[in-house]
Each structure stands twice: as C-alpha cells, then as structure tokens.
Amino acid sequence: MPLMKWISSCLACLLLSHGPSLRAAAAPTLEGTELLASDEDRSAAMVAGIDRFLMREIDRSIERRASLWRRDMTSAGAYLRSVAPQRDHLRNAIGAVDARVPFRSLSYVSSTRDPALVAETDRIRIWAVRWPVFEDVWAEGLVAEPKTPIRARVVALSDADQTPEMLFGLAAGVDPRSQFARRLAESGCQVLVPVLISRSDTFSGSSRLNRFTNQPHREWLYRQAFELGRHVIGYEAQKILAGVDWFEKQNAQGPPVKIGVVGYAEGGLLALHAAALDDRIHATVVSGYFDSRQKVWSEPIYHNVFGLLREFGDAEIASLVAPRALIVEHSESPGIPGPPPPHDGRSGAAPGAGQTPQFATMEAEVGRAGKLMSAPWAGRWIQLVNGSEGSTVAFGSDKTMTLFLEALGALDGSLAEPGTAPVDARREFDSGQRQRAQLDELVQHTQRLMRESESARDRHFLKAVPLRDATAWKETTRPFREELWDTVIGRFPAATQPARPRSRLIESNANWTAYDVTLDVWPDVFAWGALLLPTDLKPGEHRPVVVCQHGLEGLPWDPVIEDPKSDPYRGYKAFASQLARRGFVVFSPHNPYRGHDQFRVLQRKANPLQRSLFSVIVAQHARILEWLGAQPFVDAGRIGFYGISYGGKTAMRVPALLDGYCLSICSADFNEWIRKNATTDAAYSYLFTNEYEMPEWNMGHTLSYAEMAALIAPRPFMVERGHDDGVAPDEWVAHEFARVRRLYVKLGIPERAEIEFFNGPHAINGKGTFDFLQRHLSWPAR
C-alpha cells in the first residue's frame, strides 16, 4: 500500500475512534513553517534523495582526493617518501595490519599416500607446500622450480574460483597458453601459487549450529573480519607478502634475482594491492582487473573497502607501485552474476556482481595513473596490453608475460612455449578440503580477534582514560568522540541547506495534536518526522521533548498508532502517544532504514567514501535538534532520545555524537555488539542474516556499545530489555551493561545509568523508561 494511503487509513481509524474530541481549531501548519504537500511517499523520497546525494559524492571523489596527496616528483626517493602515508592508509584500509611471523623455509605437504613432489616434467618440478603467515594462519599452495638456474621469483595468483593446480595444468579449467604459472616456471622462474578463498558457499556457516548461508566464502569471511578492522583482501595480501619474505631469504642465500607478482581477476586485485604495499616487488601484472572503482558499491560486497574512494581508485593504488613496472592486461574475466542463489535453506548473501572491465574504461584509468605519476626518471612504468587482441588466449597472453619477464630481467630470448603437461602424482588430494582448511584458519583467526577485542577496546579507551569527576568527562572523552565520528561512523559536513521547515496537520484529538514536519539538510536530503503537541500546552510554556525513534522498516507514525491491531509488529505500544498523553512534546523522526536492499545499498555507496548510513542519520538529527531547540514550546536543554530496535542502534550512535540529546534510552537492541556482528558460534549473529549493512569498520578495536554509552556519559543512559527478545541473550546484555554501570559508578553518578529487564519480547515496555524520562527530564508523573 502506498505510504500516504496507509497513513490516511490509520488517520481515519484514529479520527473515528476519537469522534467529538477532534480539535477543529488546530492550525493547518505550525507557526513559522510552510505548508507541506500531502501527496508524496516521503519515506521512498528520502531514500531516493540520499541515493542521489551519495552518487554525487562518489562522482566528486576523484577530484577531491587529489588534495590528500603530496607527491614529490624530484627523485625516486623523494617520491616514495611522499606517498608513504598513502601506503599506510591503504594497508590499514584493507586490514593488512597483523604482524607476520618470520620463517626460514616452506613446509612440504605430504601424507603416507601422497608425495610432496606433485609433478615433474623435463623442465620443472612442482611441490605441494605451505608457509606461515600469522601464528595461527598458514598459506598453502604449490611451488614450482625450473631445472635451469632461477632467473626470477614470482608469486602467481589465479582467480578466486580457480585452483593453483589449474595454473599448472594439473587440473582442468585453464587453457594451456593461459597457464601462466607453468609458463613462467618453464621460462626459468621460481613460482609460488597460494590458494585463494573461493566464491563457493560450501563451507559458509556453522556445522555446530547446523546453520549455513549462501554467502560466498569470501563474503562469509569479509563480514566477520570487517567488524574487527580486517578484510579478506588484507589477509590474502599478507599471504602473498609472506611468500615475498621467503623469496627474500632465498635471495640472501644465493645470487639475488628480482621478485614479481602476477594475478588474474580476483588475483589481479590482490597483485595490485600487494605491489602497492611492498616495494620489494619489482614488477607486477594485473590481468582482468583494473578500473576506476566508482561503481565498487555494485561489486561483490567483499570488494567493499571503507574509505577507499576517499583516497584511491585503481589509478591511485597503481601510483603506489610506481616507478616499478606495472603491466595491466585487458582480458576476459569470469563473470560474477552475484552470489550463489538461495538453496537448501541457505540465504542471506549480499547482492553484488562483477564483469570484465571495458577496454575504454581500463585505458582511461591506466592513463590517469600515468598522469598521477609522471617524471623523467620514472620512464614508462605502467603499460596497458590488450590481451585478447590478435590472440585466442583468455588471459596471460604471450605479450603480457614477455613484458613481465623483461621487467624482471628474466627473459632469455623469448617466452617459452608450453612444454610437456605435468601429471599430478597425488591419489587422494582433495582441493575442496584444502579450501575448507584455508577458510577455517582465517575464520578462527578472526574469531580470536573478536574474543580479544573487548580487552583491546579497554586498553584503547576505558582503561586508558582517567575516571575523573563527571563534569570533566565530556572534555576528557572528546578525542574518542571524534574517533567514532570520523573513523567508524563517518562524518559528512553539517547541513548546507536552510532548514526551510514545512508542516501540515495530520491529527488532532483530546490529548495531542500531530503535525508532519520536514527540514532540509543537503541538496536532495531532508529530515522528516511527526511532532505531537499535548493539548494542555500553554502559550509561553517550555516543555521537555522525547524523540521517539522507530525500528527497521518503520515510519514516523508507527510509535504513535494507538490501535494495537495496527501496530506494525505489536512492539511499539504507542509509546510516542503515551508520552504525549503524559505531557511531553514528542517528535517521531523517520530514519531511512526502510526499503530492504534500497536502503542497504546506501550503506554500500557510503562506505567507500568513509561514511555510513548513520553519517546521514546523524546530520538529519542535528538538523532536528536545531529546529526543535528553536521552537517556543521547547526547553532545548531537555530533549531526550528513546529508540527501539534499529532505533535502539540510533540511541547508541546519535546521542554519543550529538550532545543536544540530554539523555538516551536504548530499547530492544543493546548487547555485546561486536559479538552480535562477528561470532560464528551463536544463532543470534548477524552473520546468518541478510542484514549485510550491519558490519561497521573496525568497531571491534575502537568503540562498541559500552564505549558509546561512555560517550553519552555523564548524561543519563538507560537500557530496556525483554527477557524473550531474540536480538541477543540476557547474558550478553547484562555483561555489556555492567561495563557501563561501572563507569557511571566510578564517575560518581550511579543514578544516571539504569537497566530494566521485563518479562516480554522485542518490544517497548514503557514502565521503568517512562519513570526514567520523568525523573531526568524533570517532568511530573501523570
């Protein structure tokens, strides 16, 4: 049903129920506002407007990011020093931050039935190997050595859905002329090929819980890692660089040779990032992957990098490779129509597709890279090869591999023609089980980070800040408020448009009069909500306000509806109306988490800008506070916030950042938020749902719910919790609140932190919270 028809039907019920109590004298608009049109679906208009705003921000990102770079072209050394900050930013953005463990040699992988020597031809030998990356993570794959002296050392990377064996011809799937790992080895290179996490969903989920999802393995890992400041891109870049560590040790033991990285499709992405991070890599090939990234929001979600477009497109990442050789090959990449479709009870995967970049767009981005880093001493450091031109090879063309070997100083005449095909000597090898082991190691590493994250947050904040008296607390914690806003939530500039308030009367009864209100924020972005004014409000009186926030897929009128049969999920219990009956001015704003994937894609578009959906919501609430505080019937110092479910998420984030809210109540949401987002061991976890917008970058190591509550302090804070609420178990809620309670006690204000458990579901209870509002907003009970 269209929004306005739905509201009209609700109003009709209300008008009929109130009959003679309808106040005919109510003004059609609020004083100082224009008349608001009544024929618009404002919820859909809000989401669409935010979408247009974000698309403009993405369009402007290329021009804006130039101001963040300070390239010094006077010499190679000066250039490398000048881009070092961006290299560090990229490393942090992809989560390649864990310390790698030192090691001296690869380990052979063998069993009593299968030898480590997988295959041998007249030109090369191939072994199954593994090598340590972190204390609890190993890379695994194949290494090949020529029977001639080694001319170069290369890490070769297949696409995610290919295996190392395919790049050597040990398994079907890749044309012999595209088996670049084998051809490079036959041309005199030592070649190391790690396994990549695949796009299959076979092992995505929990066998212990018997819960599985159709998320590709890469997404399954991405979702849990993102919350901890890690990323599947960063993890696999570390595996590559651990291989480079080994190559360096090999070079130290004998005649040193140059090191290169070559990758195709997903492997091309990884090759580009690894080379950008480590200048020990002398030459790089990126095949089937290179573009502006302006549409990264539409790609598979495991390509989502928080803040990427603020500083980087592929051209900027490539400029971190310069002046070392970078060969970009336009080749047909495997189409990714999306995640595996739902099947066998598996669902929850995020939408997102990938396709071969157009040659013209790849050429434009390569050209842009060349302009970003152009100096006489750099030479022609980046080259574009049309790999399919005049060739039937899908990727890894002769021209590309020849240029690569030349850049490594390893070309002896010409690229070797494919030799005798190797034959796998293993009888019981199972690439699926190897994939499972590789995924499980990274999942368990991430789960360990999650378990240790509370201690990390304590060291970062609550145990690092002296617990002074409450009056000094706001100033003491200001740097952490800035950190939450700038690095986790993401901050847009304050409203740039005049508010231009519009309103219209939508209901009047014996207890309150309600108006629809809209306020402009930025071009195409506005705030909207329902304002309820108690009928006994006297001219010149300044009353406290309660901002009542709806939950997921909700509307401003949902917390107002007094007919239980019309309550969208029987959880609001007309708490906005109840508070207006008690004499509070009430504002029920619309938050744009409505429309399923229509709003979730807003998070996808905001994240590459180092923003989130809450970046917009915070600005909308700042405008609401500004307008409410200027109304003649409002006491601006007594505006409280009360949100349920997704509105409870708002209750943690918005008041932590905006001190215009003098208190906050979080209903049906407060819990161990990092665990809720990242654990694989509880059915409560968002990992098993389609709410792919939930992970927030590195919240696990910065500020979670207890820390957000600490930013609300010394203002009053309360949690409302039903024992039967399926958001999380009571134990998670109690544990997290205990950390909050301790802080308030130590600050000498224990009476300002409360929790109410009640025997009920995911719903408003409206007992202890109403008392809390009356007490802390200094408003007498009625």
Side-chain angles (χ1 to χ4, degrees):
M1 182 184 296
L3 173 65
M4 297 314 300
K5 289 183 179 179
W6 181 85
I7 289 180
S8 297
S9 67
C10 293
L11 289 178
C13 294
L14 286 163
L15 292 174
L16 288 170
S17 66
H18 291 299
S21 68
L22 179 65
R23 297 179 67 234
T29 63
L30 288 164
E31 184 178 351
T33 68
E34 302 172 16
L35 178 63
L36 178 65
S38 62
D39 58 351
E40 182 181 38
D41 182 339
R42 270 179 276 280
S43 177
M46 179 182 288
V47 171
I50 294 170
D51 187 90
R52 290 192 297 274
F53 169 76
L54 291 173
M55 288 305 295
R56 286 196 301 273
E57 292 294 298
I58 289 172
D59 289 342
R60 294 167 180 164
S61 65
I62 294 177
E63 181 181 354
R64 288 174 174 172
R65 73 179 67 128
S67 65
L68 302 176
W69 293 70
R70 298 288 185 270
R71 294 182 179 87
D72 183 344
M73 304 289 194
T74 56
S75 68
Y79 177 77
L80 293 176
R81 288 189 294 272
S82 71
V83 299
Q86 276 68 38
R87 181 171 284 119
D88 288 340
H89 296 169
L90 181 64
R91 181 178 290 107
N92 288 325
I94 64 171
V97 295
D98 294 306
R100 296 193 300 275
V101 297
F103 66 101
R104 296 182 60 84
S105 59
L106 307 182
S107 298
Y108 288 132
V109 177
S110 62
S111 70
T112 54
R113 288 181 62 83
D114 289 334
L117 182 61
V118 171
E120 182 173 4
T121 71
D122 58 328
R123 297 190 197 176
I124 61 173
R125 296 184 183 90
I126 305 169
W127 288 271
V129 293
R130 61 198 299 258
W131 60 100
V133 184
F134 314 134
E135 289 183 356
D136 52 355
V137 172
W138 289 65
E140 189 168 341
L142 300 175
V143 66
E145 292 193 354
K147 292 185 175 179
T148 57
I150 294 172
R151 299 193 183 100
R153 306 186 197 277
V154 175
V155 179
L157 304 160
S158 66
D159 179 53
D161 284 339
Q162 297 170 338
T163 64
E165 285 73 19
M166 292 180 185
L167 290 189
F168 285 109
L170 294 164
V174 174
D175 183 272
R177 299 199 71 84
S178 288
Q179 293 167 12
F180 54 80
R182 171 185 164 194
R183 297 195 69 191
L184 289 169
E186 290 174 340
S187 297
C189 299
Q190 183 183 53
V191 182
L192 183 64
V193 187
V195 174
L196 301 186
I197 301 303
S198 77
R199 301 187 193 95
S200 165
D201 66 357
T202 307
F203 308 116
S204 297
S206 168
S207 298
R208 188 180 68 81
L209 297 175
N210 195 29
R211 292 197 66 169
F212 298 93
T213 170
N214 68 326
Q215 296 166 33
H217 296 154
R218 299 185 76 80
E219 179 181 347
W220 174 246
L221 179 58
Y222 156 87
R223 284 210 204 179
Q224 52 196 280
F226 197 87
E227 192 78 11
L228 282 308
R230 304 297 191 273
H231 203 292
V232 61
I233 295 173
Y235 281 154
E236 294 192 322
Q238 291 276 57
K239 289 187 174 185
I240 296 165
L241 298 183
V244 174
D245 294 340
W246 180 65
F247 283 161
E248 283 282 278
K249 287 185 172 57
Q250 294 290 100
N251 277 342
Q253 295 171 6
V257 293
K258 291 183 177 179
I259 296 169
V261 175
V262 52
Y264 167 64
E266 204 76 25
L269 178 157
L270 296 168
L272 178 63
H273 285 75
L277 296 183
D278 198 323
D279 58 13
R280 296 177 299 174
I281 297 169
H282 296 90
T284 303
V285 170
V286 175
S287 178
Y289 178 92
F290 202 84
D291 210 334
S292 71
R293 299 303 137 211
Q294 294 299 97
K295 292 185 178 180
V296 67
W297 57 269
S298 67
E299 296 178 27
I301 196 169
Y302 45 82
H303 287 181
N304 180 46
V305 173
F306 192 66
L308 177 73
L309 295 182
R310 183 174 176 270
E311 283 187 277
F312 304 102
D314 283 355
E316 284 80 9
I317 296 175
S319 75
L320 295 178
V321 179
R324 293 165 288 139
L326 175 59
I327 300 125
V328 178
E329 179 183 61
H330 182 265
S331 63
E332 189 73 24
S333 59
I336 308 171
H343 64 97
D344 302 320
R346 293 172 179 249
S347 62
Q355 58 187 2
T356 301
Q358 296 294 317
F359 182 80
T361 60
M362 185 177 280
E363 185 177 39
E365 192 70 1
V366 168
R368 201 167 67 81
K371 291 177 182 177
L372 289 174
M373 200 287 167
S374 178
W377 48 263
R380 190 183 177 191
W381 63 272
I382 185 168
Q383 298 184 66
L384 175 62
V385 175
N386 191 344
S388 58
E389 188 175 38
S391 171
T392 59
V393 176
F395 56 90
S397 67
D398 287 9
K399 183 176 180 180
T400 299
M401 292 300 112
T402 298
L403 288 171
F404 182 54
L405 288 171
E406 285 178 347
L408 291 172
L411 188 64
D412 183 15
S414 61
L415 178 72
E417 289 294 316
T420 305
V423 177
D424 198 325
R426 295 169 296 183
R427 291 179 290 175
E428 294 187 346
F429 172 68
D430 185 340
S431 63
Q433 289 307 306
R434 182 180 62 188
Q435 174 71 205
R436 180 175 192 167
Q438 286 286 284
L439 177 64
D440 283 351
E441 280 191 353
L442 288 171
V443 166
Q444 291 310 312
H445 175 77
T446 306
Q447 293 300 298
R448 179 175 64 80
L449 292 175
M450 181 203 68
R451 291 190 295 271
E452 296 171 353
S453 65
E454 183 178 307
S455 295
R457 293 193 304 278
D458 280 347
R459 291 191 300 272
H460 178 66
F461 181 10
L462 292 181
K463 290 184 179 179
V465 178
L467 296 178
R468 299 171 182 165
D469 64 278
T471 56
W473 184 250
K474 177 182 174 181
E475 190 59 34
T476 300
T477 57
R478 184 179 301 278
F480 298 97
R481 184 172 292 105
E482 301 299 309
E483 179 184 29
L484 176 65
W485 205 339
D486 290 332
T487 69
V488 180
I489 301 297
R491 187 194 317 233
F492 277 122
T496 58
Q497 300 292 101
R500 199 169 68 87
R502 285 89 72 202
S503 69
R504 74 180 183 93
L505 177 69
I506 54 175
E507 161 68 4
S508 186
N509 59 49
N511 299 297
W512 41 261
T513 300
Y515 291 88
D516 245 354
V517 179
T518 64
L519 308 163
D520 289 341
V521 181
W522 304 303
D524 286 322
V525 179
F526 61 93
W528 165 47
L531 178 71
L532 278 62
L533 301 177
T535 54
D536 63 351
L537 182 63
K538 299 177 177 61
E541 185 180 10
H542 297 80
R543 289 201 183 180
V545 181
V546 182
V547 173
C548 297
Q549 188 65 64
H550 64 73
L552 181 65
E553 299 292 336
L555 290 165
W557 204 250
D558 293 347
V560 179
I561 297 170
E562 294 184 311
D563 179 3
K565 294 180 181 179
S566 300
D567 187 337
Y569 65 89
R570 309 292 173 90
Y572 289 116
K573 298 183 180 177
F575 76 108
S577 297
Q578 289 192 61
L579 289 166
R581 286 171 179 267
R582 292 179 178 231
F584 292 101
V585 172
V586 171
F587 191 79
S588 178
H590 186 52
N591 277 0
Y593 34 70
R594 188 167 184 267
H596 304 286
D597 281 337
Q598 289 178 334
F599 89 79
R600 291 189 168 99
V601 78
L602 299 180
Q603 182 86 332
R604 290 292 315 272
K605 292 180 178 181
N607 270 189
L609 298 168
Q610 199 170 315
R611 308 288 190 270
S612 67
L613 187 60
F614 273 101
S615 304
V616 178
I617 291 171
V618 169
Q620 290 173 315
H621 278 263
R623 177 48 46 100
I624 289 167
L625 284 167
E626 175 187 73
W627 181 79
L628 283 173
Q631 299 312 297
F633 46 81
V634 169
D635 181 345
R638 291 189 292 166
I639 303 177
F641 190 96
Y642 187 173
I644 177 173
S645 192
Y646 227 119
K649 292 172 181 59
T650 311
M652 298 310 303
R653 290 157 180 79
V654 173
L657 300 177
L658 302 180
D659 56 14
Y661 286 117
C662 70
L663 61 79
S664 185
I665 300 173
C666 178
S667 177
D669 180 70
F670 188 89
N671 69 96
E672 288 190 64
W673 189 248
I674 308 307
R675 192 172 180 184
K676 171 75 174 171
N677 274 276
T679 187
T680 60
D681 291 332
Y684 301 99
S685 176
Y686 280 127
L687 288 180
F688 300 103
T689 77
N690 68 344
E691 293 171 276
Y692 55 82
E693 83 282 4
M694 285 299 179
E696 293 160 287
W697 176 250
N698 202 26
M699 187 173 277
H701 289 111
T702 52
L703 300 100
S704 185
Y705 274 18
E707 291 78 22
M708 290 181 203
L711 295 179
I712 293 170
R715 293 166 288 164
F717 173 71
M718 184 173 181
V719 171
E720 183 176 52
R721 161 70 188 181
H723 286 304
D724 300 324
D725 192 332
V727 164
D730 283 345
E731 291 79 4
W732 291 13
V733 179
H735 173 87
E736 193 75 1
F737 184 77
R739 302 175 69 224
V740 178
R741 174 70 178 175
R742 177 184 180 276
L743 171 71
Y744 274 75
V745 169
K746 293 293 185 181
L747 290 175
I749 48 172
E751 72 284 354
R752 298 187 194 177
E754 294 185 27
I755 189 168
E756 180 187 52
F757 287 94
F758 64 94
N759 191 24
H762 187 74
I764 293 289
N765 191 42
K767 293 183 173 59
T769 52
F770 284 13
D771 293 342
F772 184 84
L773 288 167
Q774 287 166 182
R775 184 165 64 257
H776 291 290
L777 293 179
S778 302
W779 188 248
R782 293 189 177 185

Short mmCIF file of all heavy atoms in Angstrom, two decimals, residues 18 24 48 61 66 110 199 229 233 241 263 331 362 382-383 440 453 592-593 599 694 707 721 728 744 747 774:
data_model
loop_
_atom_site.label_atom_id
_atom_site.label_comp_id
_atom_site.label_asym_id
_atom_site.label_seq_id
_atom_site.Cartn_x
_atom_site.Cartn_y
_atom_site.Cartn_z
N HIS A 18 -11.79 8.83 17.97
CA HIS A 18 -11.83 9.99 18.86
C HIS A 18 -13.11 10.80 18.70
O HIS A 18 -13.48 11.54 19.60
CB HIS A 18 -10.61 10.89 18.61
CG HIS A 18 -9.34 10.24 19.04
ND1 HIS A 18 -9.10 9.89 20.33
CD2 HIS A 18 -8.26 9.85 18.32
CE1 HIS A 18 -7.90 9.33 20.42
NE2 HIS A 18 -7.38 9.29 19.21
N ALA A 24 -11.14 20.99 16.17
CA ALA A 24 -11.30 21.68 14.89
C ALA A 24 -10.46 22.94 14.81
O ALA A 24 -10.16 23.44 13.74
CB ALA A 24 -12.77 22.02 14.67
N ALA A 48 15.52 7.80 -1.85
CA ALA A 48 15.96 8.15 -3.21
C ALA A 48 16.82 9.41 -3.20
O ALA A 48 17.80 9.51 -3.94
CB ALA A 48 14.73 8.36 -4.10
N SER A 61 34.49 12.34 -5.85
CA SER A 61 35.60 11.78 -5.05
C SER A 61 36.92 11.84 -5.79
O SER A 61 37.97 12.06 -5.17
CB SER A 61 35.28 10.35 -4.62
OG SER A 61 35.20 9.48 -5.75
N ALA A 66 42.55 14.34 -4.78
CA ALA A 66 43.85 14.89 -5.18
C ALA A 66 44.46 15.74 -4.08
O ALA A 66 45.69 15.78 -3.92
CB ALA A 66 43.67 15.72 -6.45
N SER A 110 52.53 -33.43 2.56
CA SER A 110 52.53 -34.80 2.04
C SER A 110 51.82 -35.71 3.04
O SER A 110 51.47 -35.29 4.14
CB SER A 110 53.96 -35.30 1.81
OG SER A 110 54.67 -35.33 3.03
N ARG A 199 34.64 -18.39 -4.14
CA ARG A 199 33.30 -17.80 -4.11
C ARG A 199 32.22 -18.86 -3.88
O ARG A 199 31.03 -18.54 -3.93
CB ARG A 199 33.01 -17.06 -5.41
CG ARG A 199 33.99 -15.94 -5.71
CD ARG A 199 33.54 -15.14 -6.94
NE ARG A 199 34.62 -14.27 -7.39
CZ ARG A 199 35.49 -14.56 -8.35
NH1 ARG A 199 35.38 -15.74 -8.96
NH2 ARG A 199 36.42 -13.71 -8.71
N GLY A 229 38.26 -4.68 11.79
CA GLY A 229 39.30 -3.94 11.09
C GLY A 229 40.19 -4.81 10.23
O GLY A 229 41.35 -4.46 9.96
N ILE A 233 40.79 -9.12 1.60
CA ILE A 233 41.85 -8.59 0.74
C ILE A 233 43.15 -8.47 1.52
O ILE A 233 44.23 -8.86 1.04
CB ILE A 233 41.45 -7.22 0.16
CG1 ILE A 233 40.24 -7.36 -0.76
CG2 ILE A 233 42.63 -6.59 -0.59
CD1 ILE A 233 39.68 -6.02 -1.26
N LEU A 241 52.66 -11.51 0.67
CA LEU A 241 53.87 -10.86 1.19
C LEU A 241 54.69 -11.80 2.06
O LEU A 241 55.91 -11.67 2.13
CB LEU A 241 53.50 -9.59 1.95
CG LEU A 241 52.81 -8.52 1.08
CD1 LEU A 241 52.54 -7.26 1.89
CD2 LEU A 241 53.63 -8.18 -0.16
N GLY A 263 48.71 -11.63 -11.32
CA GLY A 263 47.41 -12.12 -10.88
C GLY A 263 46.33 -11.89 -11.92
O GLY A 263 46.38 -10.93 -12.69
N SER A 331 41.71 -8.43 -20.27
CA SER A 331 41.38 -9.81 -20.62
C SER A 331 39.98 -10.11 -20.13
O SER A 331 39.43 -9.40 -19.29
CB SER A 331 42.39 -10.79 -20.00
OG SER A 331 42.32 -10.72 -18.58
N MET A 362 39.28 0.84 -18.78
CA MET A 362 40.59 0.41 -18.29
C MET A 362 41.68 1.31 -18.86
O MET A 362 42.59 1.74 -18.13
CB MET A 362 40.83 -1.05 -18.68
CG MET A 362 42.12 -1.64 -18.13
SD MET A 362 42.33 -3.40 -18.55
CE MET A 362 41.28 -4.17 -17.32
N ILE A 382 54.04 2.17 -16.35
CA ILE A 382 52.78 1.44 -16.48
C ILE A 382 52.45 1.25 -17.96
O ILE A 382 52.60 2.16 -18.76
CB ILE A 382 51.62 2.17 -15.75
CG1 ILE A 382 50.33 1.33 -15.79
CG2 ILE A 382 51.39 3.58 -16.30
CD1 ILE A 382 49.25 1.82 -14.85
N GLN A 383 52.04 0.03 -18.31
CA GLN A 383 51.69 -0.29 -19.69
C GLN A 383 50.37 -1.05 -19.72
O GLN A 383 50.09 -1.86 -18.84
CB GLN A 383 52.78 -1.15 -20.33
CG GLN A 383 54.14 -0.50 -20.43
CD GLN A 383 55.14 -1.36 -21.16
OE1 GLN A 383 55.01 -1.61 -22.35
NE2 GLN A 383 56.15 -1.82 -20.43
N ASP A 440 38.84 -22.02 7.23
CA ASP A 440 38.68 -22.20 8.67
C ASP A 440 39.78 -21.50 9.46
O ASP A 440 39.53 -20.92 10.52
CB ASP A 440 38.66 -23.70 9.03
CG ASP A 440 37.33 -24.35 8.71
OD1 ASP A 440 36.37 -23.62 8.39
OD2 ASP A 440 37.24 -25.60 8.78
N SER A 453 38.79 -8.64 21.51
CA SER A 453 38.52 -7.24 21.16
C SER A 453 38.07 -6.40 22.35
O SER A 453 38.38 -5.20 22.42
CB SER A 453 37.48 -7.16 20.04
OG SER A 453 36.22 -7.64 20.45
N PRO A 592 16.14 6.48 7.58
CA PRO A 592 15.99 5.91 6.23
C PRO A 592 16.31 4.43 6.10
O PRO A 592 16.65 3.98 5.00
CB PRO A 592 16.96 6.76 5.41
CG PRO A 592 18.02 7.16 6.36
CD PRO A 592 17.32 7.37 7.67
N TYR A 593 16.22 3.66 7.19
CA TYR A 593 16.46 2.22 7.06
C TYR A 593 15.14 1.52 6.71
O TYR A 593 14.57 0.76 7.48
CB TYR A 593 17.10 1.63 8.32
CG TYR A 593 16.70 2.23 9.64
CD1 TYR A 593 15.43 2.04 10.17
CD2 TYR A 593 17.60 3.00 10.36
CE1 TYR A 593 15.07 2.57 11.40
CE2 TYR A 593 17.25 3.54 11.58
CZ TYR A 593 15.98 3.32 12.10
OH TYR A 593 15.63 3.86 13.31
N PHE A 599 17.61 0.57 0.89
CA PHE A 599 18.38 1.34 1.87
C PHE A 599 19.74 0.70 2.14
O PHE A 599 20.71 1.40 2.43
CB PHE A 599 17.59 1.53 3.18
CG PHE A 599 17.75 0.48 4.23
CD1 PHE A 599 18.87 0.46 5.05
CD2 PHE A 599 16.79 -0.50 4.41
CE1 PHE A 599 19.03 -0.52 6.03
CE2 PHE A 599 16.94 -1.47 5.40
CZ PHE A 599 18.07 -1.48 6.20
N MET A 694 25.15 -4.34 8.44
CA MET A 694 25.45 -4.20 9.86
C MET A 694 26.94 -4.01 10.21
O MET A 694 27.27 -3.24 11.09
CB MET A 694 24.89 -5.39 10.64
CG MET A 694 23.39 -5.35 10.81
SD MET A 694 22.88 -3.89 11.72
CE MET A 694 21.11 -4.12 11.74
N GLU A 707 31.43 1.60 25.10
CA GLU A 707 32.21 2.82 24.84
C GLU A 707 31.31 3.95 24.33
O GLU A 707 31.51 5.12 24.67
CB GLU A 707 33.32 2.53 23.83
CG GLU A 707 34.42 1.62 24.37
CD GLU A 707 34.04 0.15 24.38
OE1 GLU A 707 33.12 -0.25 23.62
OE2 GLU A 707 34.63 -0.62 25.16
N ARG A 721 15.05 -3.93 28.23
CA ARG A 721 15.38 -5.26 27.73
C ARG A 721 14.30 -6.29 28.11
O ARG A 721 14.00 -6.49 29.28
CB ARG A 721 16.72 -5.71 28.31
CG ARG A 721 16.99 -7.20 28.25
CD ARG A 721 17.24 -7.70 26.85
NE ARG A 721 17.30 -9.16 26.81
CZ ARG A 721 17.53 -9.87 25.72
NH1 ARG A 721 17.72 -9.27 24.58
NH2 ARG A 721 17.57 -11.18 25.77
N ALA A 728 19.52 -10.89 21.30
CA ALA A 728 20.69 -11.47 21.97
C ALA A 728 20.21 -12.05 23.30
O ALA A 728 19.13 -11.69 23.78
CB ALA A 728 21.76 -10.41 22.20
N TYR A 744 29.70 4.64 35.27
CA TYR A 744 28.87 5.67 35.92
C TYR A 744 29.11 5.70 37.43
O TYR A 744 29.12 6.77 38.04
CB TYR A 744 27.40 5.42 35.60
CG TYR A 744 26.94 6.04 34.30
CD1 TYR A 744 27.29 5.49 33.07
CD2 TYR A 744 26.15 7.18 34.28
CE1 TYR A 744 26.87 6.04 31.87
CE2 TYR A 744 25.71 7.75 33.09
CZ TYR A 744 26.08 7.18 31.88
OH TYR A 744 25.66 7.74 30.70
N LEU A 747 32.34 7.45 38.06
CA LEU A 747 32.21 8.90 37.85
C LEU A 747 31.37 9.57 38.92
O LEU A 747 31.20 10.79 38.91
CB LEU A 747 31.59 9.17 36.47
CG LEU A 747 32.46 8.87 35.24
CD1 LEU A 747 31.66 9.07 33.96
CD2 LEU A 747 33.70 9.75 35.23
N GLN A 774 10.63 10.90 33.13
CA GLN A 774 10.03 11.90 34.01
C GLN A 774 11.02 12.42 35.04
O GLN A 774 11.07 13.62 35.34
CB GLN A 774 8.79 11.30 34.70
CG GLN A 774 7.62 11.16 33.75
CD GLN A 774 6.51 10.29 34.26
OE1 GLN A 774 5.54 10.06 33.56
NE2 GLN A 774 6.65 9.77 35.48
#
